[in-house]
Amino acid sequence: MDASPSPAPAPSAEPAPQSPVPARRERNWKDMVLSLLAIMVPVALMVGFYRYALDGEEPKVVDTAPAIASARSSGAFPVLEPAGLHEDWRPTTAQFRTVEDGKTLRIGYVTPAGAAVLLIESTVPAEKLLPAELTTSARPGTMLTVDGRQWQSYSARANETALVQLSPERTVVIVGTGEQDALRELADSLG
């Protein structure tokens, strides 16, 4: 056998076939703006529908009657029920629970000014309840009289204040981000 090298193929005069995918063109700022618009328009439509058609910004109002009825039927403590609050006070949460140390009724409100206020009535000992609800750094302030009842004001979390009423049968706490006038208004409605 001849071990001579085979001749190299002759160069072809025809160019190699090109790929069927066109070369990627450079993107400019107009392409980016159009891409963003394609994304932002549907998002804006969904947000608008949620806010205006579904009242997405309005808090969902709940019926407090079942939680209050459960607390009353338990017989754990005399229940103070808010009465006479303006209709702009919207209850957003209401629950009655039995916990390890006692029973607790919690009703959350959004005030007419949009602040959050929580009413807590509980048989949990105050030395456990107050640190849990107001933090361990909560400090008592001045004594207030609201509708003939004594309340102790407290500083709670950084943006919250509280009114606390201690009695042998239960502890009542009103805590919220609103002005103290809103807390007093809720305290005044309890009967």
Side-chain angles (χ1 to χ4, degrees):
M1 271 206 128
D2 191 7
S4 66
S6 63
S12 148
E14 284 185 37
Q18 290 193 355
S19 167
V21 178
R24 187 172 177 183
R25 67 181 181 103
E26 290 205 23
R27 309 238 167 157
N28 61 27
W29 65 271
K30 289 179 188 176
D31 293 331
M32 289 193 303
V33 168
L34 290 173
S35 297
L36 282 174
L37 283 175
I39 294 170
M40 296 304 293
V41 168
V43 169
L45 289 173
M46 287 188 291
V47 168
F49 179 75
Y50 172 76
R51 288 182 77 178
Y52 299 108
L54 300 178
D55 290 328
E57 296 294 311
E58 292 298 314
K60 302 299 178 206
V61 175
V62 300
D63 183 11
T64 60
I68 292 171
S70 293
R72 281 206 172 103
S73 68
S74 76
F77 53 85
V79 177
L80 294 174
E81 182 177 355
L85 284 175
H86 191 272
E87 65 184 26
D88 287 345
W89 279 77
R90 294 164 294 190
T92 57
T93 61
Q95 63 183 358
F96 177 71
R97 288 196 176 159
T98 300
V99 292
E100 182 180 324
D101 296 324
K103 298 177 188 259
T104 303
L105 172 66
R106 303 169 72 85
I107 303 174
Y109 290 93
V110 174
T111 69
V117 175
L118 179 63
L119 168 64
I120 304 161
E121 299 179 52
S122 183
T123 60
V124 172
E127 60 273 4
K128 289 186 176 185
L129 180 70
L130 295 180
E133 298 296 339
L134 306 179
T135 74
T136 56
S137 62
R139 298 289 173 249
T142 60
M143 291 296 292
L144 306 168
T145 302
V146 179
D147 195 30
R149 290 186 286 241
Q150 290 289 98
W151 294 85
Q152 177 79 51
S153 68
Y154 273 80
S155 61
R157 292 170 187 87
N159 62 340
E160 293 181 338
T161 56
L163 298 177
V164 176
Q165 184 183 67
L166 301 172
S167 66
E169 56 272 339
R170 64 158 161 16
T171 300
V172 180
V173 178
I174 299 172
V175 61
T177 58
E179 296 292 323
Q180 197 167 49
D181 288 344
L183 304 181
R184 291 176 77 135
E185 185 178 349
L186 181 56
D188 189 39
S189 76
L190 296 175

